[in-house]
Amino acid sequence: MARPVPLGVLISGSGTNLQAILDAIEEKRLDAVIRVVISNTEDAYGLVRARKHHIPTEVVDHRKFTTREAYDQTLIDILQAQQVELVILAGFMRLLSPLFVRTFSNRIMNIHPALLPAFPGLHVQRKALDHGVRFSGCTVHFVNEECDQGPIIIQAVVPVFPDDTEESLSARILKEEHRAYPRAIQLYCEGRLRVVGRKVLVDGLAKEESQVLIHPPLKDEEG
Ligand code: GRF
């Protein structure tokens, strides 16, 4: 694998995860280079972030295409022209066709703001709150043909508090997304990820028994 790894980032919105990846590259925590940022909407703030870092941007408006395959083929053409190795979905609000997934097999990552396989789909922070879970978090996974069901690379866990709102929980999760996504990409860049069936094996990982979490904590008195 050539280093740094060439990335293509797909966005639809504010692009804070894109920003975290840009920052990690600049701070040399991530051995990658973003070749292109593609958005399906021209008003995505992530495009502004990319341009500030002199990253080439493209807007490919899905409304101008009659089929998902035709849309995805346009994305594929741009990504391949830039010799992108790894595709990063960072708040890209479009489902990808089997054509796209097969073209970049095990080379597409997505981040989801819940602990998959719980709460796939949309509005998942709301669903986690309504369900009364004690923990939520985020999941970085490889993308397969089923939505939010690809092999899991990394998860970060946050507690859910009784007075949480959708906004407060989303903010707590988003902060961890910004740490987890560059980390997952760097594991790929280091050649440490192997997909075996449903599982992603990470080479050279220490086993830490102390990572156990319990919420409410065993010692819950204040002070
Ligand atoms: C994040 O919550 C991510 O998990 C989800 O879409 C949101 C994108 O946020 N897939 P941003 O555009 O990176 O700020």
Side-chain angles (χ1 to χ4, degrees), residues 10 36 38 60 65 68-84 87 92 96-105 107-108:
L10 272 50
V36 63
I38 307 175
V60 188
F65 292 79
R68 194 177 292 282
E69 283 68 27
Y71 181 75
D72 284 5
Q73 187 60 55
T74 303
L75 300 183
I76 292 168
D77 291 345
I78 295 169
L79 294 164
Q80 288 184 335
Q82 297 295 333
Q83 295 178 312
V84 163
V87 179
F92 184 61
L96 293 168
S97 62
L99 168 74
F100 190 98
V101 175
R102 280 198 291 267
T103 303
F104 292 98
S105 174
R107 292 189 294 125
I108 310 166

Side-chain angles (χ1 to χ4, degrees), residues 128-146:
L129 280 179
D130 290 348
H131 198 90
V133 294
R134 296 296 193 218
F135 289 106
S136 190
C138 65
T139 304
V140 182
H141 62 94
F142 283 118
V143 172
N144 64 13
E145 292 184 22
E146 287 143 290

